[in-house]
Amino acid sequence: MACLKRCNTYFFSVEGETEYWYLKWLDYLFNNNQDTAYKVSI
């Protein structure tokens, strides 16, 4: 049975599209790593 991870939510204000895509990439990296203790929402 899979263990449910606690979710942490973070809010950012960005000026451009590049920053937006960088934060989405970080979100993807954190949430697809099996070794993390938390799930994140950016």
Coordinates of all heavy atoms in Angstrom, one line a residue:
M1 N 0.8 -1.2 0.0 CA 0.0 0.0 0.0 C 0.9 1.2 0.0 O 1.9 1.3 0.8 CB -0.9 0.0 1.2 CG -1.8 1.2 1.3 SD -2.9 0.9 2.8 CE -4.1 2.1 2.4
A2 N 0.6 2.2 -0.8 CA 1.4 3.4 -1.0 C 1.1 4.3 0.2 O 0.0 4.5 0.7 CB 1.0 4.1 -2.2
C3 N 2.2 5.0 0.7 CA 2.1 5.9 1.8 C 1.7 7.3 1.2 O 2.3 7.7 0.2 CB 3.5 6.0 2.4 SG 3.5 7.2 3.8
L4 N 0.7 7.9 1.8 CA 0.3 9.2 1.4 C 1.3 10.3 1.9 O 1.7 10.2 3.1 CB -1.1 9.5 1.9 CG -2.2 8.7 1.4 CD1 -3.5 9.0 2.0 CD2 -2.3 8.8 -0.1
K5 N 1.6 11.2 1.1 CA 2.5 12.3 1.5 C 1.8 13.5 1.9 O 0.7 13.8 1.3 CB 3.5 12.6 0.3 CG 4.4 11.5 0.0 CD 5.4 11.9 -1.1 CE 6.3 10.8 -1.5 NZ 7.2 11.2 -2.6
R6 N 2.3 14.3 2.8 CA 1.7 15.5 3.2 C 2.0 16.6 2.1 O 3.1 16.6 1.6 CB 2.3 15.9 4.6 CG 1.7 17.1 5.1 CD 2.3 17.4 6.5 NE 1.4 18.1 7.3 CZ 1.4 18.1 8.5 NH1 2.3 17.5 9.2 NH2 0.5 18.8 9.2
C7 N 1.1 17.5 1.9 CA 1.3 18.5 0.8 C 1.6 19.9 1.4 O 0.9 20.3 2.3 CB 0.1 18.6 -0.1 SG 0.3 19.7 -1.5
N8 N 2.7 20.5 0.9 CA 3.0 21.9 1.3 C 2.7 22.7 0.1 O 3.1 22.4 -1.1 CB 4.5 22.0 1.6 CG 4.8 21.3 2.9 OD1 3.9 21.1 3.8 ND2 6.1 20.9 3.1
T9 N 2.1 23.9 0.3 CA 1.7 24.8 -0.8 C 2.6 26.0 -0.7 O 2.7 26.6 0.4 CB 0.2 25.2 -0.7 OG1 -0.5 24.0 -0.8 CG2 -0.1 26.1 -1.9
Y10 N 3.1 26.5 -1.8 CA 4.0 27.7 -1.9 C 3.4 28.6 -2.9 O 3.0 28.2 -4.0 CB 5.4 27.3 -2.2 CG 6.0 26.4 -1.2 CD1 6.0 25.0 -1.4 CD2 6.6 26.9 0.0 CE1 6.6 24.1 -0.5 CE2 7.1 26.0 0.9 CZ 7.1 24.6 0.7 OH 7.7 23.8 1.6
F11 N 3.4 29.9 -2.6 CA 2.9 30.9 -3.6 C 4.0 31.8 -4.0 O 4.8 32.3 -3.1 CB 1.8 31.7 -2.9 CG 0.6 31.0 -2.6 CD1 0.4 30.4 -1.3 CD2 -0.4 30.7 -3.5 CE1 -0.7 29.7 -1.0 CE2 -1.5 30.0 -3.2 CZ -1.7 29.5 -2.0
F12 N 4.2 32.1 -5.3 CA 5.2 33.0 -5.8 C 4.5 34.0 -6.8 O 3.6 33.7 -7.4 CB 6.2 32.2 -6.6 CG 7.1 31.3 -5.8 CD1 6.7 30.0 -5.6 CD2 8.3 31.7 -5.2 CE1 7.5 29.1 -4.8 CE2 9.0 30.9 -4.5 CZ 8.7 29.6 -4.3
S13 N 5.1 35.1 -6.8 CA 4.7 36.1 -7.8 C 5.9 36.3 -8.8 O 7.0 36.6 -8.3 CB 4.4 37.5 -7.1 OG 4.1 38.4 -8.1
V14 N 5.7 36.0 -10.0 CA 6.8 36.1 -11.0 C 6.4 37.1 -12.1 O 5.3 37.4 -12.4 CB 7.1 34.7 -11.6 CG1 7.6 33.8 -10.6 CG2 5.9 34.1 -12.3
E15 N 7.5 37.7 -12.7 CA 7.3 38.7 -13.7 C 7.1 38.1 -15.1 O 6.4 38.6 -16.0 CB 8.5 39.7 -13.8 CG 8.5 40.5 -12.5 CD 9.7 41.5 -12.6 OE1 10.2 41.8 -13.7 OE2 10.0 42.0 -11.5
G16 N 7.8 37.1 -15.4 CA 7.8 36.6 -16.8 C 7.5 35.1 -16.9 O 7.3 34.4 -15.9
E17 N 7.3 34.7 -18.1 CA 7.0 33.3 -18.4 C 8.1 32.3 -18.1 O 7.9 31.2 -17.7 CB 6.6 33.2 -19.9 CG 5.8 31.9 -20.2 CD 5.2 31.9 -21.6 OE1 4.6 33.0 -22.0 OE2 5.4 30.9 -22.3
T18 N 9.3 32.8 -18.2 CA 10.5 31.9 -17.9 C 10.5 31.5 -16.4 O 10.7 30.3 -16.1 CB 11.8 32.6 -18.2 OG1 11.8 33.0 -19.6 CG2 13.0 31.7 -18.0
E19 N 10.2 32.4 -15.5 CA 10.1 32.1 -14.1 C 9.0 31.1 -13.8 O 9.1 30.2 -13.0 CB 10.0 33.4 -13.3 CG 11.2 34.3 -13.3 CD 11.2 35.3 -14.4 OE1 10.3 35.2 -15.3 OE2 12.1 36.1 -14.5
Y20 N 7.9 31.3 -14.5 CA 6.7 30.4 -14.3 C 7.1 29.0 -14.7 O 6.8 28.1 -13.9 CB 5.6 30.9 -15.2 CG 4.4 29.9 -15.3 CD1 3.5 29.8 -14.2 CD2 4.3 29.1 -16.4 CE1 2.5 28.9 -14.3 CE2 3.3 28.2 -16.5 CZ 2.4 28.1 -15.4 OH 1.3 27.2 -15.5
W21 N 7.7 28.8 -15.8 CA 8.1 27.5 -16.3 C 9.2 26.8 -15.4 O 9.2 25.6 -15.2 CB 8.5 27.5 -17.8 CG 7.4 27.7 -18.7 CD1 7.2 28.8 -19.4 CD2 6.3 26.9 -18.9 NE1 6.0 28.7 -20.1 CE2 5.4 27.5 -19.8 CE3 5.9 25.6 -18.4 CZ2 4.2 26.9 -20.2 CZ3 4.7 25.0 -18.8 CH2 3.9 25.7 -19.7
Y22 N 10.1 27.7 -14.8 CA 11.1 27.1 -13.9 C 10.4 26.6 -12.7 O 10.7 25.5 -12.2 CB 12.1 28.2 -13.5 CG 13.1 27.8 -12.5 CD1 14.1 26.9 -12.8 CD2 13.0 28.3 -11.2 CE1 15.0 26.5 -11.8 CE2 13.9 27.9 -10.2 CZ 14.9 27.0 -10.6 OH 15.7 26.6 -9.6
L23 N 9.4 27.3 -12.1 CA 8.7 26.9 -10.9 C 7.9 25.6 -11.2 O 7.8 24.7 -10.4 CB 7.9 28.0 -10.3 CG 8.6 29.2 -9.8 CD1 7.7 30.3 -9.4 CD2 9.4 28.7 -8.6
K24 N 7.3 25.5 -12.4 CA 6.6 24.3 -12.7 C 7.5 23.1 -12.9 O 7.2 22.0 -12.5 CB 5.8 24.5 -14.0 CG 4.7 25.5 -14.0 CD 3.7 25.3 -12.8 CE 2.6 24.3 -13.3 NZ 1.7 24.1 -12.2
W25 N 8.7 23.4 -13.4 CA 9.7 22.3 -13.5 C 10.1 21.8 -12.1 O 10.3 20.6 -11.8 CB 10.9 22.8 -14.2 CG 12.1 21.9 -14.3 CD1 12.1 20.7 -15.1 CD2 13.3 22.0 -13.7 NE1 13.4 20.1 -14.9 CE2 14.1 20.9 -14.0 CE3 13.8 22.9 -12.8 CZ2 15.4 20.7 -13.5 CZ3 15.1 22.8 -12.3 CH2 15.9 21.6 -12.7
L26 N 10.3 22.8 -11.1 CA 10.7 22.4 -9.8 C 9.5 21.6 -9.1 O 9.8 20.6 -8.4 CB 10.9 23.6 -8.9 CG 12.3 24.3 -9.0 CD1 12.3 25.5 -8.2 CD2 13.4 23.3 -8.7
D27 N 8.3 22.0 -9.3 CA 7.2 21.2 -8.9 C 7.2 19.8 -9.4 O 7.0 18.9 -8.6 CB 5.9 22.0 -9.3 CG 4.6 21.3 -8.8 OD1 4.2 21.7 -7.7 OD2 4.1 20.5 -9.6
Y28 N 7.5 19.6 -10.7 CA 7.6 18.3 -11.3 C 8.7 17.5 -10.6 O 8.5 16.3 -10.3 CB 7.8 18.5 -12.8 CG 8.1 17.2 -13.5 CD1 7.0 16.3 -13.8 CD2 9.4 16.8 -13.8 CE1 7.3 15.1 -14.5 CE2 9.7 15.6 -14.4 CZ 8.6 14.8 -14.8 OH 8.9 13.6 -15.4
L29 N 9.8 18.1 -10.4 CA 11.0 17.4 -9.8 C 10.7 16.9 -8.4 O 10.9 15.7 -8.1 CB 12.2 18.2 -9.8 CG 13.0 18.5 -11.1 CD1 14.2 19.3 -10.9 CD2 13.4 17.2 -11.7
F30 N 10.1 17.7 -7.6 CA 9.8 17.4 -6.2 C 8.7 16.3 -6.2 O 8.9 15.3 -5.4 CB 9.3 18.6 -5.4 CG 10.4 19.5 -5.0 CD1 10.3 20.9 -5.4 CD2 11.5 19.1 -4.3 CE1 11.3 21.7 -5.0 CE2 12.5 20.0 -4.0 CZ 12.4 21.3 -4.3
N31 N 7.7 16.4 -7.0 CA 6.6 15.5 -6.9 C 6.8 14.1 -7.5 O 6.1 13.1 -7.3 CB 5.3 16.1 -7.4 CG 4.9 17.2 -6.5 OD1 5.0 17.2 -5.3 ND2 4.3 18.2 -7.1
N32 N 7.8 14.0 -8.4 CA 8.1 12.7 -9.0 C 9.3 12.0 -8.4 O 9.7 11.0 -8.9 CB 8.3 13.0 -10.5 CG 7.0 13.3 -11.2 OD1 6.1 12.6 -11.0 ND2 7.0 14.3 -12.0
N33 N 9.8 12.5 -7.3 CA 10.9 11.9 -6.6 C 10.4 11.0 -5.5 O 9.7 11.6 -4.6 CB 11.9 13.0 -6.1 CG 13.1 12.4 -5.5 OD1 13.2 11.2 -5.2 ND2 14.1 13.2 -5.2
Q34 N 10.6 9.8 -5.5 CA 10.1 8.9 -4.5 C 10.7 9.0 -3.1 O 10.1 8.6 -2.1 CB 10.3 7.4 -4.9 CG 9.5 7.1 -6.2 CD 8.0 7.2 -6.1 OE1 7.4 6.9 -5.0 NE2 7.4 7.7 -7.1
D35 N 11.9 9.7 -3.0 CA 12.6 9.8 -1.7 C 12.1 11.0 -0.9 O 12.5 11.2 0.2 CB 14.1 10.0 -2.0 CG 14.6 8.7 -2.6 OD1 14.1 7.6 -2.4 OD2 15.6 8.8 -3.4
T36 N 11.3 11.9 -1.4 CA 10.8 13.1 -0.7 C 9.8 12.7 0.3 O 9.0 11.8 0.2 CB 10.3 14.2 -1.6 OG1 9.2 13.6 -2.4 CG2 11.3 14.7 -2.6
A37 N 9.8 13.4 1.4 CA 8.8 13.2 2.5 C 7.5 13.9 2.3 O 6.5 13.6 2.9 CB 9.4 13.6 3.8
Y38 N 7.5 15.0 1.4 CA 6.4 15.8 1.2 C 6.1 16.0 -0.3 O 7.0 15.8 -1.1 CB 6.6 17.2 1.8 CG 6.7 17.3 3.2 CD1 7.9 17.2 3.9 CD2 5.6 17.3 4.0 CE1 8.1 17.2 5.2 CE2 5.7 17.3 5.4 CZ 6.9 17.3 6.0 OH 7.0 17.3 7.4
K39 N 4.8 16.3 -0.6 CA 4.4 16.6 -1.9 C 4.3 18.2 -1.9 O 3.9 18.7 -0.9 CB 3.1 16.0 -2.3 CG 2.6 16.3 -3.6 CD 1.2 15.7 -3.9 CE 0.7 16.1 -5.2 NZ -0.6 15.6 -5.5
V40 N 4.7 18.8 -3.0 CA 4.6 20.3 -3.0 C 3.6 20.8 -4.1 O 3.4 20.1 -5.1 CB 6.0 21.0 -3.3 CG1 6.9 20.6 -2.2 CG2 6.6 20.6 -4.6
S41 N 3.1 21.9 -3.9 CA 2.2 22.6 -4.8 C 2.7 24.0 -5.0 O 2.7 24.8 -4.0 CB 0.8 22.6 -4.4 OG 0.0 23.3 -5.3
I42 N 3.2 24.3 -6.2 CA 3.8 25.7 -6.4 C 2.9 26.4 -7.4 O 2.5 25.8 -8.4 CB 5.2 25.6 -7.0 CG1 6.1 24.9 -6.0 CG2 5.7 26.9 -7.4 CD1 7.6 24.7 -6.5

